[in-house]
Amino acid sequence: MSVKKNIREFTLPELKEYFEAIGDKKFRAMQAYEWLWKKNARSFDDMSNLSLELRKKLAEEFELKPLTVDVTQHSSDGTLKSRFRTFDGHLIEGVIIPTEKRSTACVSSQIGCSLACKFCATGLMERKRNLHFDEIYDQVALLNEQSLKMHGTGLTNIVYMGMGEPLLNYKNVLKSIERITASDSMAMSPKRITVSTAGVAKMIRQLGDDKVRFNLALSLHAATDEKRNRIMAINETNNIAALIDALNYFYEQTKNDITLEYVLLNGENDSLEDAEDLVKVYRKIPTHLVNVIEYNSVAGIDFVKSGEDSTQIFTDYLAKHKVNVRVRRSRGKDIDAACGQLANKDKVA
Ligand code: SAH
């Protein structure tokens, strides 16, 4: 039994070599490559400028494991959530968030998540497996098509803030970004890509060593170890001091933007004392922005979002202490597309 190779593991020179070896023309390799990385072929049959015979041969030798759109839901605020099906039947979700100037895709990096942060819907699911780089790429390509169709413009930004912890699927996340930014593919600027992490210190340092060119967001959510341990178990092995060190290292190595994310949970992390702790942490990190996130309710989770008043008092305190703070209002709540709500819940009757 021969094991078929995934054709998307092949570089263009490797494909050319293969086509030559089977006695075909090199430019056919270029055509096949374009189908894979520019024209989003879902199968070898889609490659209509290749002969039937060649398509059959490719299908015999290689596999192409495409992601397909399962269901798409439209929010009243223009947010679009798509559920995708993997070749082996798993479901994952990706979102498009349109604003006046941007069309931002939020993509998943794992099927489920192993981290179990107390406030997050994905954390209630078990982690099934990592997404392969071509599956992450497919989400972006498919969301780009949807963005073009819906809004007349392709994606302008990508955030790895969907299901899963990107830094626990390091290689595939980096390879997907290599493809998204490659000139022979989508050619998106890495400056328009942000990877968000719950905080895996060792891998943040690795990003520095790898001199990546995309931006990083840290889901901080609490500014003392005692509080952070309570809501994010990952803090027990990656405490705030370790994260501060790692982020400084990342910044020294790359000079890329770092954003801190802080979801406001009523009575949990939204007091003035919490704001004071946050200012202290902010000053130790080479960051230019704290995104205060409105908490989105999740069935089965008891946290409640902070009220308007406490949100105002909290953010005013930050601003007064020279923290650049922005409040990120939720989008797509009516279809469970907002931050922390991605859990494959099917609302389609
Ligand atoms: N695992 C990565 C990627 C997920 S990003 C990370 O933790 O950064 C999703 C962002 O939404 C994270 O900042 C996450 O903490 C936040 N989030 C999770 N649940 C949420 C909820 N119910 N409401 C608002 N934000 C939430």
Side-chain angles (χ1 to χ4, degrees):
M1 193 186 76
S2 75
V3 181
K4 288 189 190 179
K5 290 197 177 135
N6 179 349
I7 191 162
R8 287 194 282 184
E9 303 272 3
F10 284 66
T11 61
L12 181 58
E14 285 166 349
L15 267 192
K16 283 184 176 159
E17 213 172 284
Y18 167 81
F19 275 68
E20 263 189 324
I22 61 167
D24 221 306
K25 305 240 170 11
K26 267 197 201 168
F27 79 89
R28 295 270 174 235
M30 186 68 204
Q31 287 176 324
Y33 198 77
E34 275 183 356
W35 278 110
L36 296 175
W37 296 114
K38 283 213 158 142
K39 300 198 266 185
N40 304 331
R42 303 287 89 195
S43 76
F44 293 103
D45 271 343
D46 286 348
M47 303 184 175
S48 53
N49 55 0
L50 303 185
S51 71
L52 271 177
E53 198 188 342
L54 182 55
R55 281 183 251 168
K56 198 164 148 251
K57 172 130 188 95
L58 291 176
E60 277 165 15
E61 298 255 331
F62 299 105
E63 54 183 15
L64 204 177
K65 295 171 163 176
L67 209 64
T68 47
V69 178
D70 184 46
V71 196
T72 298
Q73 290 174 269
H74 298 249
S75 161
S76 53
D77 67 15
T79 303
L80 212 68
K81 176 169 86 170
S82 288
R83 188 169 75 184
F84 302 106
R85 188 178 292 279
T86 64
F87 73 94
D88 54 350
H90 291 296
L91 299 170
I92 52 154
E93 293 177 328
V95 179
I96 303 174
I97 307 132
T99 59
E100 220 172 281
K101 290 200 186 120
R102 292 180 173 191
S103 177
T104 302
C106 173
V107 297
S108 296
S109 56
Q110 297 183 311
I111 301 170
C113 189
S114 58
L115 290 185
C117 300
K118 291 268 164 42
F119 44 81
C120 178
T122 314
L124 296 174
M125 304 169 69
E126 67 175 308
R127 189 201 77 114
K128 296 279 185 351
R129 67 168 172 81
N130 281 338
L131 285 172
H132 201 243
F133 77 88
D134 49 352
E135 297 176 308
I136 301 175
Y137 179 85
D138 277 352
Q139 285 177 78
V140 173
L142 292 167
L143 292 172
N144 190 49
E145 279 176 9
Q146 292 185 332
S147 175
L148 274 168
K149 211 186 284 171
M150 286 291 300
H151 310 295
T153 125
L155 299 175
T156 58
N157 297 72
I158 299 171
V159 294
Y160 282 65
M161 296 190 185
M163 298 164 129
E165 169 48 47
L167 297 190
L168 294 180
N169 185 15
Y170 189 86
K171 277 198 182 141
N172 283 307
V173 164
L174 259 64
K175 183 87 198 279
S176 69
I177 294 175
E178 183 276 315
R179 288 285 83 213
I180 294 163
T181 54
S183 57
D184 63 18
S185 184
M186 282 184 74
M188 176 168 287
S189 162
K191 295 276 157 242
R192 295 182 167 275
I193 301 177
T194 301
V195 169
S196 178
T197 178
V200 189
K202 187 172 158 212
M203 301 324 280
I204 293 173
R205 299 182 83 91
Q206 187 66 46
L207 290 172
D209 287 335
D210 288 337
K211 302 271 191 293
V212 299
R213 293 165 57 221
F214 50 81
N215 303 314
L216 192 60
L218 173 72
S219 296
L220 185 65
H221 304 329
T224 64
D225 283 328
E226 191 210 340
K227 286 221 163 160
R228 200 163 186 267
N229 284 342
R230 213 154 65 203
I231 55 175
M232 298 177 77
I234 190 175
N235 196 69
E236 282 160 22
T237 45
N238 293 262
N239 65 21
I240 294 176
L243 295 174
I244 290 173
D245 272 358
L247 290 171
N248 277 284
Y249 184 76
F250 170 82
Y251 187 74
E252 275 163 29
Q253 298 298 314
T254 67
K255 297 283 180 289
N256 297 338
D257 286 354
I258 297 173
T259 307
L260 298 181
E261 294 174 276
Y262 196 98
V263 63
L264 275 187
L265 305 168
N266 184 39
E268 180 69 30
N269 64 357
D270 63 348
S271 69
L272 270 184
E273 202 185 334
D274 294 316
E276 215 177 296
D277 290 332
L278 178 53
V279 172
K280 287 184 200 144
V281 172
Y282 177 85
R283 295 209 174 121
K284 294 184 189 152
I285 295 176
T287 174
H288 65 295
L289 178 66
V290 174
N291 258 329
V292 164
I293 308 173
E294 190 182 11
Y295 180 66
N296 302 304
S297 59
V298 174
I301 295 181
D302 289 337
F303 288 117
V304 177
K305 74 173 188 173
S306 302
E308 283 299 326
D309 286 356
S310 29
T311 303
Q312 194 65 48
I313 294 169
F314 190 89
T315 53
D316 282 352
Y317 182 92
L318 295 183
K320 208 173 101 201
H321 290 81
K322 307 231 171 349
V323 174
N324 183 27
V325 56
R326 190 170 64 184
V327 180
R328 208 167 75 197
R329 302 277 166 199
S330 288
R331 302 284 305 268
K333 268 190 285 197
D334 54 340
I335 54 167
D336 283 330
C339 291
Q341 292 187 318
L342 301 184
N344 292 334
K345 194 159 50 136
D346 198 346
K347 275 207 171 171
V348 184

